[in-house]
Amino acid sequence: MTAPRPPRRLTDDDGALSLLIVGFAFLAALMVVVTTSASAVFLARRDLVSVVDGAAIAAAQQIDADALYERASNARLPLSEAAAEEVVARLAAAHPEVSFGRPVVDGDTVVVTAEREVNLRFAAVLGITRWTVRASARAQSPLR
């Protein structure tokens, strides 16, 4: 009689490398999606900050002449709320993708806020299709 054979061990690694390649390809694709989406949000926010800064600076240069002549001694020149709203309206017409808030004028300071939706085409595979970026800027009358 012959002795029973020990159970056979599986030492065959066929397919293990393919599984690693597929896994790393998935991770690389996921990194591309995340990086592309984050870059799109960053660039949209930077663009929005630039537009809002420009709006605040332009609105801070709109002097309220009536208020200036009513008060003889002013530390700073008062700003016109109507003119600031007109500046924001012109920028809103030039940038239809941006939703501007009403500018807030407080004496010689103006605050402009805005928001924008960013379409994330590649992040749709993760279930994220849109992202909202917001920005605000404050400017003060440069003249004394």
Side-chain angles (χ1 to χ4, degrees):
M1 274 215 211
T2 58
R5 293 174 82 191
R8 186 173 166 211
R9 286 186 171 174
L10 295 176
T11 59
D12 192 9
D13 289 337
D14 286 347
L17 189 58
S18 298
L19 185 61
L20 276 175
I21 290 173
V22 169
F24 284 134
F26 176 75
L27 286 176
L30 186 62
M31 288 175 26
V32 167
V33 166
V34 169
T35 303
T36 304
S37 300
S39 297
V41 170
F42 171 77
L43 291 174
R45 170 113 167 74
R46 189 175 71 170
D47 183 46
L48 184 64
V49 166
S50 176
V51 169
V52 171
D53 278 344
I57 290 170
Q61 296 175 359
Q62 306 301 317
I63 298 169
D64 188 357
D66 295 336
L68 176 65
Y69 293 123
E70 284 177 6
R71 294 184 267 160
S73 63
N74 285 331
R76 289 197 174 263
L77 294 176
L79 300 178
S80 169
E81 189 169 344
E85 288 177 1
E86 184 180 322
V87 166
V88 170
R90 281 196 313 257
L91 277 172
H95 299 278
E97 72 279 2
V98 178
S99 173
F100 285 93
R102 188 167 186 232
V104 177
V105 176
D106 183 22
D108 64 344
T109 305
V110 63
V111 178
V112 178
T113 58
E115 67 179 30
R116 175 183 174 191
E117 293 281 326
V118 180
N119 290 329
L120 302 175
R121 293 185 184 104
F122 294 113
V125 297
L126 301 174
I128 305 169
T129 58
R130 295 181 166 266
W131 194 268
T132 303
V133 292
R134 293 176 181 83
S136 68
R138 175 184 307 269
Q140 196 171 34
S141 175
L143 303 174
R144 293 181 186 218

